[in-house]
Amino acid sequence: KAGVTQTPRYLIKTRGQQVTLSCSPISGHRSVSWYQQTPGQGLQFLFEYFSETQRNKGNFPGRFSGRQFSNSRSEMNVSTLELGDSALYLCASSLRDMNTEAFFGQGTRLTVV
Amino acid sequence: GENVEQHPSTLSVQEGDSAVIKCTYSDSASNYFPWYKQELGKRPQLIIDIRSNVGEKKDQRIAVTLNKTAKHFSLHITETQPEDSAVYFCAASKLDGSSNTGKLIFGQGTTLQVKP
């Protein structure tokens, strides 16, 4: 079966702009989580969605938001982009929660200039 | 808050030697501890996991041990091969009683280099 798909793979944006990233989980998976990966900070948890509801949120500013649709696909949005938002954004899906195996997408590489 | 410390940050071994990566977690309620391997330019992939009701788990050349009292867990790779070269991440999560979910808190990662 198809793995976790993230689009786009690469993105270049200017400071102050906003961006929307998309994640399609493995069929049947209802939990989708988002992570920010940077060389200095490792993998930082952003938020987790299940059945269109945000169940958990990490320590990121309100500029970072997300949502999940009825088909479990998820999007995350970052508004008023800053240079420090440049990172690889990974989403992961699992059957019901993050206490079961999580499968990661290839990520979206965001560069803010 | 929840925190996972991982050491060392880099590890270089000769092919055939063993490699050990250690992690310490802060939340004593954590009950699930996966290890992910991320090769250069690729997505993280689960290689082994352990739950808090088990002290050790082994899968071929890979093993994980858990010490709940000390709140630390370790990854052991024996007979290392060049293809084991990658970044390894430990993580910890717990079920939240109110929402029946968990969030993965990751360590900083260990870059393992296996020299032929």
Side-chain angles (χ1 to χ4, degrees):
Chain A
K1 55 184 175 183
V4 180
T5 304
Q6 290 187 247
T7 57
R9 290 292 311 280
Y10 302 93
L11 210 48
I12 299 175
K13 289 287 187 178
T14 305
R15 271 183 303 174
Q17 287 187 312
Q18 74 165 22
V19 66
T20 299
L21 313 181
S22 179
C23 173
S24 293
I26 291 172
S27 178
H29 284 193
R30 298 171 66 188
S31 171
V32 175
S33 295
W34 288 88
Y35 293 84
Q36 181 193 65
Q37 185 172 27
T38 57
Q41 298 296 321
L43 282 151
Q44 304 272 13
F45 172 76
L46 280 154
F47 27 65
E48 186 240 356
Y49 286 88
F50 182 88
S51 291
E52 302 178 67
T53 300
Q54 186 183 89
R55 295 197 298 191
N56 259 302
K57 192 176 190 311
N59 298 322
F60 278 81
R63 300 184 296 106
F64 291 81
S65 62
R67 59 178 176 168
Q68 186 181 33
F69 302 95
S70 57
N71 61 358
S72 293
R73 189 177 71 84
S74 177
E75 289 181 347
M76 69 163 280
N77 184 79
V78 188
S79 62
T80 320
L81 283 166
E82 300 177 359
L83 295 179
D85 296 333
S86 296
L88 179 67
Y89 289 89
L90 291 161
C91 82
S93 77
S94 64
L95 273 174
R96 61 180 189 278
D97 57 48
M98 298 311 284
N99 271 32
T100 55
E101 182 175 358
F103 295 84
F104 282 86
Q106 289 275 40
T108 294
R109 172 75 61 185
L110 172 65
T111 302
V112 183
V113 298
Chain B
E2 303 131 322
N3 189 47
V4 176
E5 295 287 335
Q6 183 173 346
H7 300 280
S9 56
T10 60
L11 181 59
S12 182
V13 300
Q14 286 296 136
E15 182 177 359
D17 287 350
S18 295
V20 180
I21 303 170
K22 299 182 179 181
C23 290
T24 304
Y25 58 98
S26 61
D27 191 339
S28 57
S30 297
N31 55 12
Y32 177 61
F33 308 92
W35 285 87
Y36 284 84
K37 174 184 180 182
Q38 187 176 28
E39 296 176 13
L40 192 62
K42 296 191 176 180
R43 70 189 77 193
Q45 292 195 299
L46 181 75
I47 56 171
I48 195 167
D49 57 12
I50 192 168
R51 298 188 183 275
S52 59
N53 58 348
V54 176
E56 184 174 359
K57 185 176 178 180
K58 191 173 181 180
D59 182 4
Q60 299 182 340
R61 297 185 297 107
I62 294 173
V64 57
T65 57
L66 171 65
N67 183 327
K68 286 189 293 182
T69 303
K71 292 191 287 186
H72 69 68
F73 56 113
S74 301
L75 177 71
H76 305 253
I77 306 174
T78 59
E79 299 171 25
T80 53
Q81 301 166 5
E83 52 264 38
D84 293 330
S85 296
V87 180
Y88 291 81
F89 292 96
C90 63
S93 78
K94 64 176 180 180
L95 280 178
D96 181 295
S98 61
S99 60
N100 195 33
T101 183
K103 61 182 180 182
L104 283 173
I105 304 299
F106 283 87
Q108 296 299 309
T110 296
T111 301
L112 173 64
Q113 181 187 29
V114 180
K115 299 177 183 176

